Amino acid sequence: MSHQRICTELKTWLEQYQQYQPNDFEMVYDHWVQQNLMNVDPQVKKAFFSKLDAWFFHTHAFLQGTSYQYEARERILTVGRIFSNQIEKIEDMEKELTVEQLTYIAEQQMARGRLYSFAQGGLTGAGGWLFLGMDYPLMMLMNLRAIQLIGLTFGHEMNHPYEMMISLKVFHAATLPKRLKASAWNDLIEEVEKKEHPYIFAGEDQLTDEGWMEQPMKQCFKSLFILMFRKKLIQGLPFISIAIGAYSNYHLTKQVTEFAMKFYQYRHLMNKEGAS
């Protein structure tokens, strides 16, 4: 995969969001959400999104402290050293490797993350209420972790406050409806372009908002469909529920990891151009 090819793919990928026009259903849905949220007490709404943001912050910190994350980090460094023996720490990944090499390593993380999501979704479709109740928190955790690993691959330390906020904002943007992604992308690029300090995040620290609520609503519909088809057994197994859970989770992780990959590719190219 050549440097020019990655640039072309990035441009083509971004155009699909910049040129996207919402259909009638999406416009009606937006209007319905806005009308209903106008009836909610602003203080209650603010407290709800604040609690949701806090959960994501704590989840990110929890992931950084796990031995599993440390092992994944070491695996990334080990693969990076195959291409360059000058790599000693995560920051060296960006300095020593080309965008093609970083993309190759990141694609391994993406494939692993999608496989885990597929398996977890299948278990949700086959399991009971416990699996169904844990599905959404687990999916958010797994997708946050996938973004962290892609960020690490491109040489960004995820335990720094600045990189933590950027990775969370990437997660937020990646899980937005298609019609809102272009605006979120522009905000992300503007943030990294005007970066004032390598460790301190000085921008807006709010993550979730009304636009993001479409993702939890999709989760509710998925859970409803799983429950509807759970009693339709084929050879003793609810294959339709398993398929719904597996496909839905796989599709979400594919969407999130693809967005994260494109963002960190773009950021890497931007940094290289700035350095040159």
Side-chain angles (χ1 to χ4, degrees), residues 66-89:
T66 60
S67 59
Y68 192 54
Q69 191 79 348
Y70 176 79
E71 291 167 4
R73 171 198 177 94
E74 291 303 309
R75 282 199 305 270
I76 290 170
L77 287 172
T78 299
V79 177
R81 288 169 187 144
I82 295 173
F83 297 106
S84 172
N85 57 14
Q86 301 298 315
I87 293 176
E88 298 293 334
K89 55 186 186 295

Side-chain angles (χ1 to χ4, degrees), residues 112-255:
R112 190 176 289 113
R114 292 172 185 176
L115 178 61
Y116 291 159
S117 291
F118 184 85
Q120 189 260 324
L123 286 173
T124 298
W129 286 99
L130 178 62
F131 282 100
L132 198 60
M134 292 176 60
D135 181 50
Y136 192 66
L138 277 175
M139 273 306 297
M140 297 300 100
L141 186 145
M142 291 169 69
N143 282 295
L144 273 173
R145 182 176 182 274
I147 292 172
Q148 289 177 358
L149 295 182
I150 293 171
L152 283 170
T153 300
F154 278 84
H156 305 286
E157 275 289 6
M158 292 293 113
N159 54 8
H160 293 164
Y162 180 84
E163 294 300 337
M164 179 195 77
M165 278 304 306
I166 290 297
S167 66
L168 287 171
K169 283 186 171 288
V170 169
F171 169 80
H172 169 257
T175 49
L176 282 173
K178 192 172 183 178
R179 61 189 179 279
L180 302 178
K181 275 188 167 66
S183 176
W185 171 274
N186 292 336
D187 290 342
L188 272 168
I189 299 307
E190 182 182 352
E191 178 58 47
V192 294
E193 283 179 343
K194 69 176 186 181
K195 181 178 178 181
E196 298 176 356
H197 194 280
Y199 302 118
I200 299 173
F201 184 84
E204 174 61 51
D205 61 356
Q206 181 181 352
L207 292 175
T208 53
D209 52 22
E210 290 88 344
W212 185 81
M213 290 306 294
E214 187 168 321
Q215 182 56 48
M217 291 189 70
K218 287 181 179 178
Q219 176 70 20
C220 292
F221 285 121
K222 181 189 81 174
S223 299
L224 181 61
F225 284 129
I226 287 175
L227 290 172
M228 284 172 59
F229 291 102
R230 179 161 287 170
K231 293 183 179 180
K232 295 187 180 297
L233 304 180
I234 302 174
Q235 295 182 346
L237 288 173
F239 278 110
I240 298 178
S241 290
I242 292 172
I244 292 171
Y247 173 78
S248 176
N249 287 13
Y250 174 87
H251 180 73
L252 177 61
T253 299
K254 180 182 178 183
Q255 170 187 314

